[in-house]
Amino acid sequence: MKKLLVVFILVFPVLTQAQNIQKAAEKYCHVTIGGKLFSKKLDVHIDYGTDSLAMEQKPKKEDEVLKGFTNITDVLNYMSEQGWKLVTSMATAANSATDTYHFFFRKEF
């Protein structure tokens, strides 16, 4: 009986600790890319939602980096370098001068 009690005391903490392991959280972001009239630079906006976990992972100088893009491929490569995976994309046409592109990305934290 004492042996069973000792085994229980040694095994129980291991079993309870295994339940505290958290799964990786999957988060999404929305990238909107539009052209600026009479300019080669793109208007890029990244929406991480209201989740603070994705915002904490955001590079500190990201706003400055986003202002320098001149083509969509560079924006997609930037998101890939940050660890985001493309989920889907779509284009919307507001008028004949500027089209807006929407990209949805996913990342595990």
Side-chain angles (χ1 to χ4, degrees):
M1 186 68 179
K2 288 183 183 181
K3 288 181 183 178
L4 184 60
L5 184 59
V6 171
V7 170
F8 181 76
I9 291 172
L10 292 175
V11 174
F12 185 74
V14 174
L15 294 175
T16 58
Q17 193 69 301
Q19 294 175 359
N20 292 335
I21 298 174
Q22 294 181 354
K23 293 181 181 180
E26 192 172 75
K27 303 297 176 186
Y28 292 85
C29 75
H30 175 213
V31 177
T32 307
I33 303 172
K36 293 182 179 180
L37 199 58
F38 305 116
S39 175
K40 290 184 179 182
K41 293 192 177 188
L42 297 174
D43 184 22
V44 181
H45 175 73
I46 301 176
D47 182 7
Y48 293 103
T50 57
D51 185 7
S52 62
L53 182 61
M55 289 298 291
E56 289 173 9
Q57 299 293 326
K58 175 182 165 182
K60 294 188 187 309
K61 295 186 178 183
E62 184 174 76
D63 294 332
E64 294 174 20
V65 171
L66 295 178
K67 292 178 184 177
F69 290 119
T70 57
N71 65 48
I72 294 174
T73 306
D74 289 340
V75 177
L76 296 176
N77 286 335
Y78 171 77
M79 294 302 291
S80 177
E81 290 169 3
Q82 300 303 315
W84 292 91
K85 304 289 183 200
L86 182 64
V87 176
T88 190
S89 62
M90 64 181 169
T92 57
N95 56 43
S96 60
T98 60
D99 292 333
T100 303
Y101 300 92
H102 303 271
F103 298 92
F104 295 89
F105 291 87
R106 144 177 86 218
K107 182 177 181 180
E108 287 188 12
F109 289 90

